[in-house]
Amino acid sequence: MSSPFHPLASFGDLGVTTPGLALLSADAMPALLLGGVAVAGLAGCALMWTRARRSRQHEQRLQTDLDAQSAAAATLTRRVAELEQLNTDLERRLGEGARAQHESESQFRMLVDGLRDYCLIMLDPEGRVMSWNDVAARAKRFSAQEVVGKSLDCFYPPADAANGCPAIDLREAVRTGRLETRSPRRRGDGTIYPAHVVLNPLHDEQGQLQGFVMVIRDLSQEQEAKQALDHQQGLLETILENLAEGVVACDAEGRLTFFNKVAREWHGQDIAPTEPTEWGSTYDLYESDGSTRLPADRVPLLRALRGERVRAAEMTIVVPGRAPRFLLAAGDPLLDADGNKLGAVVVLHDITERKQAEATSLRAQRMESIGMLAGGIAHDLNNALAPVLMAIELLKSRYPESSSIIEAMEVSSNRGADMVKQLLSFAKGASAKHVTVKLRHLANEIHKLVGNTFPKNIAVTFDYPPDLAPVHGDPTQLHQVLLNLCVNARDAMPDGGELVLKMRNVSLTAETVPVGARLDPGDYVRVEVRDTGTGISPDILPYVFEPFFSTKETGKGTGLGLATAMSIVRDHNGELLLDSTVGEGTTFTLFVPTLESLATDETRSPFAEPLMKGDGRLVLLVDDQASIREVGRNVISGLGFRVIAAANGNEALKILQDQGNAIDLIITDRDMPEMGGATLISHARDLAQRAQFIIASGYMNKEEVEELRELGVAAVLQKPFAQRDLVRVLRHVLSGRQEMEFSRTPWG
């Protein structure tokens, strides 16, 4: 073992080793040592230098290591600071994320729980309830303990649950990715309600089924609201359908969408695909005159569709084969809450009756005007005809060889008198003396007349039973009506045809009174005069009963026939109706009320009365027409009377003041200048106390007749009168009978 102080040891300690030294033996060591003494000093220096160098190297290494360690420490410090910052940031972010997640979860929960109409239920893959929102808890009427962890079978009606519907729905949702259905569901209290159900499967990223989300919306309120809306809509449609007004509507594109029952009846058809510009022609729309086509731009519904507010627009529906219907239209565009156009609607109000009333009023005004004119004309005509008719009787007796000429004059005069009667009948409503009339006797007379005078190419048939009830009326007027209707039928068949006059007893009730007839329930004789002639066009039907309206050529008709007939029939408390079809013919139907008790007397015919003798009685004849005074004086004188004539009432009063007690009869005209006949009679009653009064007039109404009756007038002579009329009246007055006598009927 070497000494710690061995030089080699020192080298070795210094880390210096020499391979050769290690090979030296112990025997050679002394020599080496001897030689080493010489170099001991050098070696010591070298050793010292070596140690110094190594020390410096070691220091350098230490310094390097120290620098490296310092750098590493600085880096580590920096990294630690960075890590600390990262950690701080991470903790901050984690906190923010947690808060955000919590807020998100809270918002999601609030959103889910805040769904007011939707039940949101989370299911596991087996269909068990995991969670649900508050709406589900309230709507389903289940508590969480009753549902969570339970199968969704509890939400199905028992029958559906028993049939496996829940499992079927889950499989279908998985297969299709979404199941949506409307089907009944069950609440916790067992009630069943309609529901809209959406079932969605939930998968993870690997496509593994994680569960289901089921959204259920209760449709009970919606269904109730729909039912209420349907009920309200049905009620509105019922109201519109049953309105007395017509209602039509269209959408924004101009397609007709609604016609109520009244509109369908008025137009005679239902909605049809029609362009708006064709509405007028398709639905028979005319102007208010009923004859001019309504232009497309004046159709109320089209005007409303274009944005116009239509008010009080008059138009007419003229359906072929029907009477015109006059309407008043009001319409508006239909807009939604934002002002967008939805369509248009028009309400139609029937003013046909108003139009008819206006026409009747206008006719009445015309009739009144005509009546005023007719009064003056009739007075003048009667005064002109009266002496002619009276003179004819004288001419017959004085010039028998000229009887044919005199008869022609009589026919013409009577025809003129009849024309005046027609004019007065409808214009003044003059009174007539009504008696018991058997229409079958009038029909027999007319049948003979028609058979002898009508063309042979017209087949005439008169049909009436033997037990035809009598009526109360004026025979001459009724004869005139029937003959006029037969003549009109003849004129409507210029090429021949068939004329049928049919009479029947009928009983009318409130339900069987013909539409438009002004008749009370009761017993009537119905007379039909039917022809197979040309018929009357619908556009002139409303005017045929107006005075002076005629379809005949100029000179072949006065236009007074039907107007007079209507006036006579109405005066008999009857009705005259008309039905006509162009190309098929015309039927006039006349209703005349029967007598309450049957009369047995035959209808009187106005035969000529035998002449009488006046036995020198004194007659005061008062008339403002000289011709009537002259002819009247001759006729009355010829009957054996003495005659004093006066030209007016004042002149007659002077005569009465001088000879009043000697006068037996006063015959006076009713209408005279200065003083009329009625006024004269009122004064003459004190001046000629034994005198009988006869008044002459062209026309009188019932009120005027009653006034004359109260004055004590014994008889009325209708101008123009013939000698036989005068004779009958004189005989009646001188007989002492109290009732007022009329020369003849009708009075106008």
Side-chain angles (χ1 to χ4, degrees):
M1 182 174 182
S2 59
S3 171
F5 300 107
H6 194 286
L8 293 177
S10 298
F11 277 98
D13 293 337
L14 293 174
V16 180
T17 59
T18 301
L21 293 177
L23 297 177
L24 292 178
S25 66
D27 293 334
M29 190 60 67
L32 180 58
L33 292 174
L34 291 176
V37 175
V39 292
L42 182 60
C45 293
L47 180 60
M48 291 176 65
W49 177 83
T50 299
R51 288 181 176 174
R53 183 172 61 85
R54 288 180 178 174
S55 178
R56 285 194 300 274
Q57 291 177 344
H58 181 65
E59 289 176 356
Q60 290 177 351
R61 285 197 300 271
L62 289 176
Q63 186 63 42
T64 301
D65 291 341
L66 181 60
D67 292 340
Q69 289 177 0
S70 297
T75 301
L76 180 59
T77 301
R78 187 174 63 255
R79 294 296 301 275
V80 168
E82 292 176 354
L83 289 175
E84 289 177 350
Q85 183 63 40
L86 287 174
N87 184 60
T88 301
D89 292 343
L90 181 59
E91 289 178 352
R92 179 178 56 78
R93 292 177 182 177
L94 287 174
E96 292 176 353
R99 287 193 300 272
Q101 182 177 359
H102 178 72
E103 291 176 0
S104 178
E105 289 176 353
S106 298
Q107 292 174 356
F108 178 74
R109 172 54 59 183
M110 291 174 61
L111 176 63
V112 170
D113 289 338
L115 294 174
R116 301 181 61 183
D117 299 324
Y118 293 88
C119 303
L120 187 62
I121 303 172
M122 303 299 297
L123 306 174
D124 66 12
E126 286 71 34
R128 290 186 295 269
V129 178
M130 297 172 59
S131 65
W132 59 357
N133 64 345
D134 291 342
V135 176
R138 292 193 302 269
K140 293 296 186 180
R141 301 177 188 173
F142 285 104
S143 65
Q145 293 79 7
E146 292 177 298
V147 174
V148 175
K150 301 294 181 60
S151 172
L152 80 162
D153 292 11
C154 61
F155 301 136
Y156 283 72
D160 292 347
N163 291 331
C165 291
I168 295 173
D169 289 348
L170 292 176
R171 289 196 298 270
E172 185 66 16
V174 172
R175 186 183 70 82
T176 60
R178 174 186 173 89
L179 175 66
E180 184 172 358
T181 180
R182 287 176 178 261
S183 56
R185 288 293 184 267
R186 186 175 72 90
R187 299 187 181 96
D189 58 7
T191 56
I192 307 299
Y193 66 96
H196 176 223
V197 182
V198 177
L199 187 61
N200 284 309
L202 300 176
H203 297 87
D204 60 13
E205 295 179 355
Q206 288 73 37
Q208 295 297 317
L209 180 65
Q210 299 298 311
F212 298 88
V213 58
M214 182 166 63
V215 181
I216 301 175
R217 186 162 65 92
D218 190 342
L219 300 180
S220 299
Q221 292 183 351
E222 179 180 316
Q223 192 173 72
E224 291 172 359
K226 183 178 182 303
Q227 290 174 351
L229 182 61
D230 291 344
H231 173 74
Q232 203 156 15
Q233 184 175 358
L235 180 62
L236 178 60
E237 290 181 357
T238 301
I239 292 173
L240 291 175
E241 187 70 7
N242 291 279
L243 279 178
E245 316 294 311
V247 181
V248 297
C250 67
D251 61 17
E253 284 70 38
R255 292 185 293 264
L256 295 173
T257 57
F258 185 77
F259 265 40
N260 72 341
K261 180 172 64 176
V262 170
R264 295 193 299 271
E265 291 175 354
W266 289 350
H267 287 288
Q269 56 181 310
D270 205 342
I271 294 175
T274 309
E275 290 296 323
T277 54
E278 301 297 325
W279 286 343
S281 58
T282 302
Y283 292 99
D284 305 303
L285 303 182
Y286 287 75
E287 295 279 8
S288 58
D289 60 7
S291 58
T292 306
R293 281 282 186 182
L294 191 66
D297 59 357
R298 285 179 48 78
V299 174
L301 186 59
L302 183 56
R303 291 167 57 188
L305 181 62
R306 291 173 175 173
E308 181 180 351
R309 297 187 71 222
V310 182
R311 294 293 181 270
E314 290 193 20
M315 68 176 190
T316 312
I317 298 176
V318 186
V319 178
R322 295 186 182 181
R325 187 174 297 277
F326 299 93
L327 303 174
L328 201 63
D332 285 288
L334 296 177
L335 307 174
D336 63 14
D338 297 326
N340 300 314
K341 183 168 64 177
L342 300 177
V345 63
V346 165
V347 177
L348 306 173
H349 176 64
D350 189 355
I351 58 171
T352 303
E353 290 186 0
R354 192 189 82 183
K355 283 286 189 180
Q356 292 172 345
E358 290 175 354
T360 301
S361 177
L362 289 174
R363 282 197 295 269
Q365 293 176 17
R366 288 198 299 269
M367 294 283 281
E368 183 178 358
S369 300
I370 292 172
M372 295 175 63
L373 176 64
I377 294 175
H379 180 77
D380 293 340
L381 287 176
N382 284 331
N383 287 335
L385 290 172
V388 176
L389 286 173
M390 286 189 292
I392 284 174
E393 300 291 340
L394 297 176
L395 293 175
K396 282 183 179 180
S397 60
R398 294 182 182 180
Y399 304 100
E401 70 278 4
S402 303
S403 60
S404 60
I405 298 175
I406 296 173
E407 287 177 359
M409 293 170 58
E410 185 177 22
V411 169
S412 297
S413 298
N414 284 328
R415 185 171 182 273
D418 288 340
M419 291 175 64
V420 174
K421 282 194 301 182
Q422 286 184 332
L423 186 63
L424 291 173
S425 291
F426 71 83
K428 287 294 183 181
S431 301
K433 185 176 180 180
H434 288 191
V435 297
T436 299
V437 180
K438 291 188 176 181
L439 291 178
R440 59 189 177 90
H441 293 160
L442 296 182
N444 286 333
E445 294 179 8
I446 294 174
H447 195 182
K448 293 177 183 178
L449 178 62
V450 167
N452 293 330
T453 59
F454 279 22
K456 300 305 178 184
N457 61 354
I458 296 178
V460 179
T461 302
F462 277 51
D463 178 11
Y464 42 88
D467 62 344
L468 195 66
V471 300
H472 190 64
D474 180 87
T476 304
Q477 285 187 339
L478 294 175
H479 185 281
Q480 178 185 351
V481 170
L482 295 178
L483 183 59
N484 183 276
L485 295 178
C486 290
V487 170
N488 282 345
R490 178 202 66 187
D491 295 343
M493 299 182 289
D495 299 325
E498 182 181 6
L499 167 62
V500 177
L501 188 149
K502 182 178 179 180
M503 298 183 180
R504 290 292 185 272
N505 297 320
V506 296
S507 294
L508 299 180
T509 64
E511 292 75 23
T512 59
V513 170
V515 176
R518 299 191 296 183
L519 295 173
D520 296 325
D523 295 330
Y524 294 84
V525 173
R526 183 184 65 204
V527 183
E528 293 181 0
V529 180
R530 177 173 56 85
D531 65 63
T532 58
T534 56
I536 303 174
S537 174
D539 58 337
I540 65 173
L541 272 176
Y543 310 107
V544 295
F545 290 110
E546 289 194 359
F548 305 115
F549 180 85
S550 177
T551 59
K552 298 176 183 179
E553 297 178 10
T554 303
K556 291 189 177 182
T558 63
L560 295 176
L562 289 178
T564 302
M566 176 64 81
S567 177
I568 291 173
V569 172
R570 294 276 174 84
D571 187 53
H572 282 72
N573 297 318
E575 185 62 284
L576 182 60
L577 305 177
L578 169 61
D579 181 41
S580 185
T581 303
V582 175
E584 296 183 8
T586 300
T587 299
F588 285 93
T589 303
L590 169 67
F591 290 88
V592 183
T594 63
L595 287 174
E596 293 182 358
S597 59
L598 300 182
T600 57
D601 294 339
E602 296 293 328
T603 302
R604 289 192 304 162
S605 296
F607 296 108
E609 300 283 350
L611 295 179
M612 62 171 295
K613 295 297 182 178
D615 297 329
R617 294 182 179 88
L618 182 60
V619 176
L620 174 60
L621 177 62
V622 186
D623 200 292
D624 59 326
Q625 295 293 320
S627 58
I628 294 179
R629 293 196 304 273
E630 181 64 27
V631 175
R633 183 198 301 270
N634 291 328
V635 171
I636 296 172
S637 298
L639 296 176
F641 292 90
R642 293 178 296 137
V643 181
I644 302 175
N648 53 60
N650 291 328
E651 185 177 333
L653 283 178
K654 292 179 181 179
I655 295 172
L656 288 171
Q657 289 171 353
D658 295 336
Q659 308 180 49
N661 292 330
I663 295 176
D664 298 290
L665 290 172
I666 298 177
I667 303 175
T668 178
D669 188 17
R670 191 188 70 157
D671 299 311
M672 296 181 295
E674 299 184 13
M675 182 184 296
T679 304
L680 172 62
I681 291 173
S682 66
H683 292 299
R685 291 169 63 180
D686 296 330
L687 299 175
Q689 296 182 1
R690 74 174 190 176
Q692 297 285 338
F693 300 105
I694 299 173
I695 197 163
S697 176
Y699 63 90
M700 274 187 288
N701 56 38
K702 295 179 180 179
E703 291 77 13
E704 292 169 334
V705 171
E706 289 302 318
E707 291 176 0
L708 293 177
R709 194 188 305 275
E710 292 177 0
L711 280 175
V713 175
V716 175
L717 272 171
Q718 181 197 353
K719 286 185 174 182
F721 53 87
Q723 179 175 322
R724 60 178 177 271
D725 300 320
L726 178 61
V727 169
R728 186 198 312 156
V729 168
L730 291 174
R731 179 175 284 110
H732 172 82
V733 172
L734 296 177
S735 69
R737 285 181 285 182
Q738 297 299 316
E739 68 273 12
M740 182 182 286
E741 176 66 8
F742 300 91
S743 63
R744 59 193 173 107
T745 55
W747 289 30

